[in-house]
Amino acid sequence: MSENFRALVRWLADLHAPLGRWSPLAATALFAGSSFLHFSLLRGLCYLGALVLVILIAGDIAHSFVDTQAYPDRAGHARLTLPMLAIRVLLSAVLAGSYTFLLFVGLGALVPLLLWPVLFVICALVAWRNVDLWYEQGAVFEEELKEIQAAENIPHSPLPQVFDGPDPAKR
């Protein structure tokens, strides 16, 4: 890849979509909401806003391919098991279906029928990326929580210990 393309991708990724992980949903909602507007200027502004969000999302996705060290190291995180993979695939499919449906509502007859499978695949990639980011964010939060527990000498126990009174075994 050329250095200019890498610089463009890094610049787009540094802009960060203003809504964070909700950007794909906001973009599809803008596409869908524009179909209900009868005033062409507002419809154009909705399309423009959605396209800007789509470009920022694409820059974020491309950034992971251009700079592989841009995201946290997955070696320290728990391995992806088959049940977890199934849940992530199901979640991604549901998100991709909802993104595609909202795009269909927004764009409707503007997109030929043959392009809808391509749009679904693109929405599936965006949905997979969202689910992946949520998983990474959860793993980072769990690590930070363990660090706080270790710093405050809080014992790690899966269940809270509740003491209602004296120990009945000592009576």
Side-chain angles (χ1 to χ4, degrees):
M1 279 185 235
S2 73
E3 193 56 40
N4 291 336
F5 179 72
R6 288 178 193 256
L8 176 67
V9 168
R10 286 184 186 123
W11 178 73
L12 283 174
D14 287 341
L15 287 178
H16 293 291
L19 300 174
R21 65 177 179 235
W22 298 105
S23 293
L25 187 60
T28 53
L30 280 171
F31 276 128
S34 66
S35 69
F36 297 112
L37 296 173
H38 299 291
F39 189 56
S40 61
L41 179 65
L42 286 177
R43 180 179 289 187
L45 287 175
C46 283
Y47 279 138
L48 182 66
L51 286 175
V52 166
L53 286 174
V54 166
I55 290 170
L56 290 175
I57 292 165
D60 184 41
I61 292 171
H63 188 241
S64 64
F65 294 114
V66 171
D67 290 334
T68 55
Q69 72 274 10
Y71 293 99
D73 182 23
R74 296 171 193 246
H77 301 306
R79 290 189 49 183
L80 187 61
T81 61
L82 188 61
M84 189 64 178
L85 178 65
I87 290 172
R88 289 175 74 176
V89 167
L90 179 68
L91 237 159
S92 296
V94 168
L95 279 174
S98 64
Y99 294 162
T100 306
F101 174 74
L102 289 173
L103 280 174
F104 177 73
V105 169
L107 297 176
L110 295 177
V111 177
L113 189 59
L114 292 174
L115 288 181
W116 284 110
V118 174
L119 283 176
F120 179 77
V121 169
I122 292 170
C123 288
L125 290 173
V126 170
W128 179 263
R129 180 72 179 135
N130 263 355
V131 171
D132 194 42
L133 286 174
W134 293 340
Y135 178 75
E136 286 178 8
Q137 188 178 26
V140 168
F141 177 74
E142 186 177 351
E143 286 176 6
E144 289 175 356
L145 189 60
K146 285 180 184 177
E147 289 174 6
I148 291 171
Q149 286 177 341
E152 294 179 0
N153 293 326
I154 300 173
H156 176 69
S157 64
L159 298 174
Q161 297 184 7
V162 178
F163 298 104
D164 289 337
D167 189 10
K170 293 183 181 180
R171 287 185 191 179

